[in-house]
């Protein structure tokens, strides 16, 4: 199952504002931070060890509230209409149950990983919970106690307040936050509006972020504070929050610049501080940028015509343009020039007026606005030149250039409604435009102009008293000039920006989902594996790996020359010597030929008595990794070519541990990665890597330094310190030695730390210099020297006291963790008394207790990845020529894009299921959502629609998703 959900019925109408994430629906019962908890939170922020408490406002002056702008406000109301019910009623259960059942969390337009059977609702954050639907109160824990040199965490405090009541933002804290940004809007209100997340949840997320909590930590250990949102949804809120903070900083910088230039007025400052997006800020600021030519309006103002423009609007009966004529002054030499100057000032005022901009945007929303692309004149000219230059010296280069132009043939005459254009179409158009192959324009209907002009002249910009005809003509000309010269370009830029931002978010979301499912492929454990990096001329590089990924042997064999029999004998000798039964072949050059070679040997039982099978895996990024400093440090004595074979083998043995060593954008997932913001893509992918590593958990005593870097709460420096400390002092004995937020995501298994028991010296806590300033003056810290069984579970140290109380309640002990006896005791206790009642008994929240139950009942070494599919090993081969239209096959999704899913059906070429063939009726209920419901690693049954051997293309139709 998945706890993502299908698209909203309003998705098309909402796409006008694509930069804003869709509403995230939540469970039936809202979480309940209580009044007592508010006091505790306030108390916590007052402590000196909280470095991230809200700062005092830099300026004592509180900015005045901006004037109410009714049209803009109504537009905002229109935008949030879809999520109003969500905020007020927390999404009725009936709507949720309609498709996904009561225990599944729903979230639009974000696709999460797939969890099966018993772990459907909280299998991610709770590591396989089978208890769904419980809400917990806010856990009041002091985050800053996660330090190296301090005692273990204090007992978690809870209160018995009624669940489901949102926390109101304390007025002092809200004012401090507002003063800190120094904008004319309230941060939490805007954040709630833009993300369609309840305001009290936004308050909690901001507080958690300011306390430097990581997203995985929030999702697992602060569920009740974030209303059970998943990691993608929290990251959406975090991203918008960071964008608003960046906007506030940029606004302050702009104001300082304008003040220094002496052009800042109170009205301009108010307009700047009212901006809610970088686009609006740029629109207001652009006329005052240094280096830009003086605008027509500023030139007219410099001549003193601003007074005349004001008189035209307020008292037109007193205005005489002839009085402003100065024959010797350029721009004032005639009545016509004076009138033109007044028109320019009015045009500028109209284009900057918020109410006017809101009205024209509303008109556009209700009109058929289209985006149109066509082949550029330069591209047509180049194509004609290439046709006439076929016989010249370098026809290859000309052909490649021509091929690039032909790639965009779908967009040579393309028109689409701005609200219905697909994300991949937007990115393709942008790429074609950047390559100067396409020209793009936004078409706004003429009706918008006529309605806008009529409204301006008759309502918004109508003079207060009667004006003569020639003065009314000036206003009419000013409105038309403003629309054509200022407003139209602004609307075009705004549309293009919004479409690009929305497309980038959709593309990044696809990357995120693909990467998550690629990282969470179930490891193949307990067998010797041979990794093969295939090649022709330089041979196939081999690496034989032990079940624990240690390198047993490396070699090079030449399978594609005349000495094939000798190389086959060599392979058989190695396979039998190391009892290797699994072969992993990289999907690069010579992959198909190498696969044929192994398939032939297997069919002849050449490796008898071994039952050998093979699989094909992606080798994307293996070559880059093999020459990286990390690989050189890990395998200093190996040739880079052999390192890639090791990497290929380890990708199947433990995909997560191996793939984190490679830059996510080199893993070969998603589409248009070069057309999206590099910074946003990297941040999103790094967040997913951290999320996967943290929720799977790492054994702190055996994991690599590279893997440690990606644990939530750790970084490069801390990971290096831990690795060095481990090398000098031996294995960690318990989590008490790591006073970090990451404590819940690491594991200390007795099998890997038994050597530390013989240490005659007291066990030291690991020092961390940056944490010293957060201390409370405690210099003597006693670290327990014994192993704590709870250290091998997902339970956070802050809840150990609660776990012990619960064990006493059910009549168990920590030594029984994961045993059938303890599981039976827990199940019987939960049956006789509800989780809510048990939570009150042990003085905790239902959510925390549910997590504790998971940790106590899961077997030692539990891995959430066991619910995901493994690599497919096979013994035979099928070629593309064997395919027939109508044939029904099974395969595994290799990659998903914005236009479909590529499926490996074992013929050397991935087939494409176009998104039009991925319909709701073919998907499990839990996977019906807006974004493509298929992700890497999912097994599917498909029907062959068409085969094009010349172009190497296979068209597939989805029959069903295999569980």
């Amino acid at each position: 199952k998945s706890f993502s959900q299908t698209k909203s019925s309003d998705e098309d109408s909402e796409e006008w504002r694509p930069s804003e994430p869709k509403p995230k629906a939540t469970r039936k019962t809202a979480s309940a931070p209580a009044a007592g908890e508010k006091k505790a939170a306030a108390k916590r922020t007052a402590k000196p060890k909280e470095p991230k408490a809200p700062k005092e406002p830099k300026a004592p002056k509180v900015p005045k509230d901006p004037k109410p702008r009714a049209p803009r406000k109504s537009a905002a109301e229109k935008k949030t209409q879809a999520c109003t019910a969500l905020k007020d009623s927390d999404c009725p259960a009936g709507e949720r149950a309609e498709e996904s059942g009561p225990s599944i969390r729903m979230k639009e337009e974000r696709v999460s990983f797939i969890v099966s059977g018993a772990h459907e609702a909280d299998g991610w954050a709770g590591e396989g919970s089978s208890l769904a639907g419980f809400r917990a109160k806010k856990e009041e824990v002091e985050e800053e106690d996660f330090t190296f040199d301090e005692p273990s965490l204090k007992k978690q405090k809870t209160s018995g307040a009624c669940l489901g009541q949102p926390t109101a933002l304390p007025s002092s804290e809200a004012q401090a936050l507002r003063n800190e940004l120094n904008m004319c809007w309230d941060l939490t209100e805007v954040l709630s509006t833009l993300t369609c997340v309840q305001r009290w949840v936004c308050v909690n997320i901001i507080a958690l972020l300011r306390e430097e909590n990581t997203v995985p930590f929030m999702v697992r250990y602060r569920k009740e504070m974030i209303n059970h949102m998943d990691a993608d949804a929290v990251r959406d809120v975090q991203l918008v929050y960071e964008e608003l903070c960046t906007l506030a900083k940029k606004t302050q910088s702009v104001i300082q610049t304008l003040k220094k230039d002496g052009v800042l007025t109170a009205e301009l400052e108010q307009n700047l501080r009212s901006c809610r997006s970088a686009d609006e800020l740029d629109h207001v600021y652009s006329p005052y940028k240094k280096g830009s030519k003086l605008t027509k309006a500023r030139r007219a103002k410099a001549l003193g015509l601003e007074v005349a423009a004001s008189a035209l609007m307020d008292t037109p009966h007193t205005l005489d343009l002839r009085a402003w004529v100065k024959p010797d002054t350029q721009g004032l030499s005639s009545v016509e020039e004076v009138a033109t100057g007044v028109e320019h000032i009015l045009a500028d005022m109209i284009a900057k007026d918020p109410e006017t901009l809101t009205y024209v945007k509303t008109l556009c929303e209700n009109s058929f606005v289209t985006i149109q692309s066509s082949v550029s004149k330069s591209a047509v000219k180049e194509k004609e030149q290439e046709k006439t230059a076929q016989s010249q010296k370098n026809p290859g280069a000309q052909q490649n250039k021509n091929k690039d132009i032909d790639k965009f043939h779908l967009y040579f005459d393309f028109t689409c409604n701005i609200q219905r254009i697909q994300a991949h179409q937007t990115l393709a158009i942008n790429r074609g435009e950047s390559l100067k192959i396409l020209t793009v324009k936004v078409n706004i209907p003429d009706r918008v102009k006529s309605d806008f002009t009529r409204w301006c002249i008759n309502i918004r910009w109508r003079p207060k008293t009667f004006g003569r005809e020639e003065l009314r003509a000036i206003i009419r000309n000013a409105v038309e000039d403003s629309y054509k010269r200022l407003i139209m370009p602004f609307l075009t830029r705004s549309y293009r920006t919004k479409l690009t931002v929305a497309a980038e978010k959709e593309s990044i979301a696809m990357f995120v989902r693909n990467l998550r499912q690629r990282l969470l492929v179930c490891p193949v454990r307990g067998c010797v594996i041979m990794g093969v990096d295939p090649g022709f001329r330089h041979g196939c590089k081999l690496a034989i790996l032990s079940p624990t990924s240690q390198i047993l042997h490396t070699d090079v064999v030449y399978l594609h020359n005349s000495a094939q029999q000798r190389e086959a004998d060599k392979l058989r000798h190695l396979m039998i010597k190391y009892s290797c039964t699994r072969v992993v072949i990289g999907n690069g050059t010579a992959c198909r030929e190498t696969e044929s070679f192994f398939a032939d040997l297997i069919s002849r039982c050449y490796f008898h008595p071994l039952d050998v099978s093979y699989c094909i895996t992606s080798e994307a990024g293996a070559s880059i990794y093999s020459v990286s400093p990390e690989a050189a440090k890990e395998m200093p004595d190996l040739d880079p070519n052999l390192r890639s074979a090791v990497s290929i083998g380890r990708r199947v043995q433990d995909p997560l541990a191996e793939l984190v060593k490679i830059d996510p954008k080199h893993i070969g997932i998603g589409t248009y990665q070069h057309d999206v913001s590099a910074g946003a893509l990297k941040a999103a992918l790094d967040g997913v890597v951290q999320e996967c590593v943290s929720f799977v958990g790492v054994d702190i005593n055996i994991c690599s330094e590279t893997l440690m870097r990606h644990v939530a709460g750790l970084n490069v420096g801390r990971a290096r310190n831990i690795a060095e400390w481990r090398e000098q002092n031996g294995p960690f004995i318990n989590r008490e030695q790591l006073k970090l937020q990451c404590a819940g995501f690491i594991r200390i298994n007795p099998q890997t730390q038994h050597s530390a028991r013989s240490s005659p010296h007291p066990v030291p806590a690991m020092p961390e210099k940056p944490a010293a300033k957060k201390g409370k003056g405690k210099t003597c810290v006693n670290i327990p020297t014994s192993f704590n069984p709870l250290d091998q579970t997902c339970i956070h140290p802050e809840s150990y006291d609660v776990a012990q109380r619960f064990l006493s309640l059910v009549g168990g002990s920590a030594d029984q963790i994961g045993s059938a006896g303890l599981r039976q005791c827990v199940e019987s206790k939960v049956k006789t008394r509800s989780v809510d009642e048990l939570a009150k008994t042990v003085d905790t929240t239902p959510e925390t207790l549910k997590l504790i139950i998971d940790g106590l009942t899961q077997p030692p070494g539990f891995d959430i990845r066991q619910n995901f599919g493994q690599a497919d090993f096979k013994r035979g081969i099928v070629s593309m020529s064997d395919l027939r239209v109508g044939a029904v096959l099974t395969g595994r999704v290799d990659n998903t894009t914005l236009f479909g899913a590529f499926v490996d059906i074992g013929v050397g070429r991935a087939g494409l299921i176009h998104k039009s063939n991925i319909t709701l009726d073919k998907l499990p209920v839990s996977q019906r959502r807006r974004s493509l419901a298929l992700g890497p690693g999912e097994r599917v049954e498909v029907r062959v629609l068409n085969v094009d051997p010349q172009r190497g293309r296979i068209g597939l139709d989805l029959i069903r998703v295999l569980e």
Side-chain angles (χ1 to χ4, degrees), residues 394-535:
N394 192 7
Q398 299 285 352
Q399 214 169 16
N400 287 338
K401 183 70 176 176
N402 192 24
K403 194 175 179 182
D404 283 344
I405 294 175
D406 290 339
K407 282 181 182 177
F408 296 92
H409 72 277
L410 290 175
Y411 302 99
F412 283 176
D413 186 15
F414 175 84
T415 303
C416 184
N417 187 338
I418 212 91
Q419 295 181 346
R420 298 186 179 277
I421 188 169
Q422 300 296 311
H424 68 275
Q425 293 173 330
T426 299
L427 294 174
I429 287 172
N430 289 351
R431 184 189 291 181
E433 187 180 34
S434 65
L435 295 173
K436 300 191 183 332
I437 295 173
L438 301 176
T439 57
V440 186
K441 65 177 180 178
V442 174
N443 296 320
I444 298 175
D446 293 337
R447 186 176 62 83
V448 171
K449 179 183 177 182
S450 58
D451 289 352
F452 172 76
T453 304
R454 187 162 48 249
W455 177 80
C456 285
I457 294 172
N458 296 329
I459 300 174
R460 182 69 181 91
W461 297 95
R462 183 178 181 177
K464 292 183 179 179
T465 62
F466 178 77
R468 298 185 302 277
E469 176 58 32
E470 62 267 22
L471 297 182
R472 291 203 300 272
I474 291 176
I475 296 175
R476 186 166 52 252
N477 293 339
V479 169
E480 292 178 355
D481 177 52
S482 179
Y483 181 83
K484 180 179 179 182
R485 182 168 56 86
L486 301 173
I487 293 177
M488 272 285 287
F490 168 72
L491 290 174
T492 299
R493 286 195 309 271
S494 178
Y495 274 123
R496 295 294 304 276
T497 300
K498 286 176 180 177
L499 288 178
T500 300
V501 168
E504 286 187 357
K505 285 188 176 180
E506 187 79 13
S507 183
I508 289 173
M510 187 70 69
F511 269 97
V512 162
R513 184 161 53 84
N514 287 354
L515 178 61
R516 182 185 286 122
Q517 296 197 229
R518 185 67 60 85
L519 292 176
L520 290 175
V521 170
C522 185
V524 176
R525 303 192 188 279
C527 61
V528 178
I529 280 183
M530 174 185 285
V532 181
D533 183 7

Side-chain angles (χ1 to χ4, degrees), residues 840-886:
K840 289 179 182 177
T841 304
V842 296
D843 190 23
T844 188
T845 63
E847 276 304 329
T848 303
L849 182 58
K850 187 171 67 170
L851 189 64
I852 289 171
I853 291 173
D854 291 339
L856 296 178
T857 56
Q858 287 163 355
F862 175 80
D863 191 332
I864 62 170
R865 292 175 294 175
Q866 69 190 31
N867 298 312
F868 298 81
Q870 282 187 336
D872 286 327
F873 286 88
K874 52 187 178 179
R875 294 172 178 81
I877 187 170
V878 179
S879 68
M880 195 168 170
S881 59
D882 297 327
L883 291 178
R884 296 290 179 270
V885 173

Side-chain angles (χ1 to χ4, degrees), residues 49 142-154 735-740 765-766 771-783:
K49 74 184 289 186
E142 302 214 9
E143 288 310 317
E144 294 302 331
D145 278 349
F146 298 118
T147 54
F148 278 119
D149 53 355
E150 292 181 16
S152 60
L153 296 164
K154 294 182 180 178
R735 286 172 171 171
E736 295 292 326
Q737 297 167 274
L738 279 164
K739 301 294 181 185
L740 289 172
M766 190 178 161
K773 62 185 179 184
K774 302 175 188 174
K776 295 184 179 178
K778 298 179 183 178
T779 55
C780 181
V781 180
N782 295 321
I783 301 296

Side-chain angles (χ1 to χ4, degrees), residues 883-920:
L883 291 178
R884 296 290 179 270
V885 173
V888 175
L889 307 166
T890 60
R892 195 174 288 278
V893 177
D894 185 49
N895 191 15
T896 54
T897 68
L898 297 171
F899 51 83
F902 288 96
V903 179
D904 180 5
I905 53 176
V907 297
R909 280 278 185 177
L912 173 66
I913 308 177
H914 191 268
K915 68 176 185 178
S916 60
N917 293 320
I918 306 176
T919 54
L920 294 181

Side-chain angles (χ1 to χ4, degrees), residues 280-353:
E280 286 184 36
L281 181 66
D282 188 62
H283 180 63
V284 176
Y285 174 51
S286 56
Y288 303 93
K289 285 182 181 177
K290 278 188 177 178
S292 60
K293 61 182 182 179
L294 208 59
T295 62
K296 294 179 177 180
R298 289 182 68 187
R299 282 199 295 267
K301 287 178 182 179
L303 294 172
L305 291 177
E306 193 169 8
V307 177
S310 299
L312 175 59
M313 298 308 300
D314 297 332
T315 56
H317 61 282
T318 64
L319 179 62
D320 184 5
L321 294 181
R322 288 171 294 184
W324 292 86
V325 175
K326 295 181 182 178
D328 300 331
T329 305
Q330 185 178 358
L332 299 175
S333 59
S334 65
V335 174
E336 289 74 16
E337 287 189 357
V338 171
T340 302
V342 172
E343 285 175 11
H344 291 158
I345 292 174
L346 283 178
D348 184 67
M349 291 168 63
I350 292 168
K352 300 283 177 59
D353 179 56

Side-chain angles (χ1 to χ4, degrees), residues 30 138 188 195 269 328 432 451 522 597 625 663 725 782 833 844 910 917:
K138 179 176 178 181
T188 52
T195 59
E269 183 175 357
D328 300 331
D451 289 352
C522 185
F597 188 87
Y625 167 70
D663 189 335
W725 189 97
N782 295 321
R833 299 174 64 184
T844 188
N917 293 320

